[in-house]
């Protein structure tokens, strides 16, 4: 859990160990204009959540071409988890239908020809149909909007509980930096807190996907 923080340098500002979105940035993500079609990058063994920054290694030929084209353009891609990590060359039927629009923040070329990218999730989407298969997938998509919670007291209670449990885990784990607890405590956005914790839970891709697809924020907090 909280693998993103394990390699944080001790001298780093604890609040900067996690890239915390500001209120304006979160508002921008919630209203981010998603194109009608997106190139689709399939992920193995992980699910990207809105707001979360994630490093990804890209090795498949189609994925390398996709990343190259996207990085030279608007840097926007659609990221969707595979249903099974054992499928080497997935088709649309091997991918979930709900994913996350992502911006490629950084592209790193590796000596073996693969590439590593750092991406940040923006907004959830659902695939409607695949309009291109070569050299990589493109799909027509529609956005999946965040639903505002009417019961803020109930949501705040869930958030306090999630923070307390996450901080207990950090404090009990010798492999996690103590700064992680401080950073988690300072996450003010309920949505980002839920997504950050969900991203780092040691649970199956299927369970993470269920969290991504759960619309009411209170229900998502309950699942976390």
């Amino acid at each position: 859990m909280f693998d993103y923080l394990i390699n944080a340098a001790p001298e780093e500002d604890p609040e900067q160990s996690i890239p915390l979105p500001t209120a304006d940035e979160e508002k921008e993500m919630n209203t981010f204009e998603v194109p009608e079609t997106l190139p689709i990058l399939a992920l193995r063994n992980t699910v990207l959540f809105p707001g979360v920054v994630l490093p990804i290694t890209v090795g498949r030929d189609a994925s390398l071409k996709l990343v190259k084209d996207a990085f030279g353009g608007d840097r926007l891609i659609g990221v969707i988890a595979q249903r099974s990590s054992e499928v080497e060359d997935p088709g649309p039927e091997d991918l979930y239908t709900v994913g996350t629009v992502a911006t490629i923040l950084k592209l790193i070329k590796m000596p073996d020809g693969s590439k590593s990218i750092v991406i940040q999730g923006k907004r959830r989407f659902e695939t409607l149909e695949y309009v291109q298969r070569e050299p990589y997938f493109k799909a027509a998509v529609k956005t999946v909007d965040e639903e505002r919670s009417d019961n803020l007291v109930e949501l705040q209670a869930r958030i306090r509980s999630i923070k307390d449990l996450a901080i207990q885990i950090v404090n009990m784990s010798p492999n996690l930096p103590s700064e992680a607890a401080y950073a988690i405590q300072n996450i003010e956005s309920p949505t980002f807190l839920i997504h950050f914790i969900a991203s780092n839970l040691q649970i199956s891709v299927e369970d993470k996907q269920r969290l991504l697809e759960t619309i009411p924020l209170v229900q998502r907090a309950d699942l976390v």
Side-chain angles (χ1 to χ4, degrees), residues 1-7 166-181 184 200:
M1 191 176 186
F2 312 122
D3 294 334
Y4 188 86
L5 298 171
I6 290 176
N7 296 318
I167 290 169
Q168 285 180 43
I169 290 171
V170 170
N171 291 336
M172 290 188 296
S173 177
N175 296 322
L176 294 174
S178 58
E179 290 87 352
I184 291 167
N200 283 279

Side-chain angles (χ1 to χ4, degrees), residues 34-53:
V34 177
E36 292 183 357
T37 62
L38 285 169
I40 301 298
L41 178 67
L43 292 188
R44 281 177 171 172
N45 300 318
T46 193
V47 173
L48 177 68
F49 290 84
V52 174
V53 173

